[in-house]
Each structure stands twice: as C-alpha cells, then as structure tokens.
Amino acid sequence: DGHFVFTSNVDGQFQCAGFEDRVVECHGSIHHLQSLDGGGVEPADAVQFAEIDSATLRVPEDSLPRLSDGSLARPNILMFGDMHWESSRTRRQQLSFAKWVHSLEHNGSRVLVVELGAGEAVPTVRRTSEILAKRLGGTLLRINPRDSHIPHGIRGLSLACGALEGLSLIDRALASL
C-alpha cells in the first residue's frame, strides 16, 4: 500500500511498468475509447490503424474506430476545452486515490511525494503533488530540469535535472549509506 501514481500522461506506461490498479490518469488514456459525444468508455485493445490515402490524406469512413455499439469512437483523453470527455474511468481512479490518501492521514504515515518532470504549462500534477505533500505533512521531491523550484511553505527537495539522472543520483547516494 506504499505507493500510488498520479499522472497526466495518457500513454499507459505506468500500467506497463506494473502499477496496474494504483494509477490516476487525470487526463484519460489512449488505451480507451469513448463515443464522440461523451458516452461510455471501452478498451481500445482491438483498434486497428487504418491506411491513410496518401493522395487525399483521408481514411475510409468504414475504417474509423467504433465502439461495440457501432458508434464512432475517439480516444478517452481530455483535450483543451473538451466538453465531451467521459471522465467516469478517471473518477473511479481518483476515488481509489482519495481512499488511499485518507488511509495515510489516519495511519500517520510518513510520506514522500516523488514528482518527475511535471512542468508549469499544464500544472495538474504539480498542484496535486504540492497539495498532497502539504496536506499529509510530507516531503516533496521535485525532479525537473526547468521547473524544479518548490513553493514556500512546502517541505521539499528539488533536483534540476531529468528524471533518470535524478533517480540515478538518489540511487547512488542511498547505496553509499
């Protein structure tokens, strides 16, 4: 019960790395489809990419992705200004995350929030990390080559480097203890 991933990435790489049920994909997932007007969400496992006609740069309509009911489908990803994103899958993930955070609060757990590469352009992950570290009295470890600063009032450590470099530095430091 010692971890949870909160990500704005939509590529499903945390699931591929084995995090499965302990992930919040706050902007949805490319691995799921929904109807164009925001209907139900289905896995995109069976989607086949259609051939694009190089002369017209079009795909035949009968090759477009469809849901099991035959309706046209789109990726279940939150786009800017998206009024039709179906958020039920993400809301279920957020509920699991909220329960996990609640259990940490009641257990008095010591918390380290590790944030990798979350920039300021779309600050969803940064804000969540800051709020969580402050709420739980934890420490924020922010690794980011450009936006590594930590706001006043939040206990933390910032490393101005990429994620792999930062984690490798930490690994070497821990190995020398």
Side-chain angles (χ1 to χ4, degrees), residues 39-163:
V41 177
E42 298 178 9
D45 301 333
V47 171
Q48 299 291 320
F49 290 102
E51 289 293 320
I52 299 173
D53 182 316
S54 60
T56 64
L57 298 179
R58 292 180 177 257
V59 173
E61 188 174 330
D62 62 347
S63 297
L64 294 173
R66 301 200 177 260
L67 296 175
S68 58
D69 66 4
S71 62
L72 281 175
R74 60 164 259 199
N76 181 233
I77 296 173
L78 176 62
M79 308 291 184
F80 292 100
D82 192 345
M83 301 306 290
H84 297 292
W85 179 52
E86 168 49 64
S87 63
S88 61
R89 187 173 165 278
T90 297
R91 283 196 316 268
R92 284 192 303 276
Q93 292 174 334
Q94 289 170 329
L95 181 59
S96 293
F97 180 64
K99 288 178 182 176
W100 179 75
V101 169
H102 183 75
S103 73
L104 293 177
E105 286 178 309
H106 284 24
N107 294 338
S109 299
R110 292 179 52 191
V111 174
L112 173 65
V113 177
V114 179
E115 180 192 281
L116 305 172
E120 294 178 337
V122 181
T124 312
V125 173
R126 287 180 77 87
R127 296 293 187 292
T128 301
S129 297
E130 293 166 2
I131 290 167
L132 191 61
K134 197 167 192 170
R135 176 177 168 186
L136 297 174
T139 301
L140 171 60
L141 171 59
R142 176 168 282 159
I143 302 175
N144 191 304
R146 290 177 303 279
D147 303 320
S148 62
H149 65 277
I150 296 175
H152 179 73
I154 296 175
R155 181 177 42 230
L157 171 67
S158 65
L159 298 176
C161 59

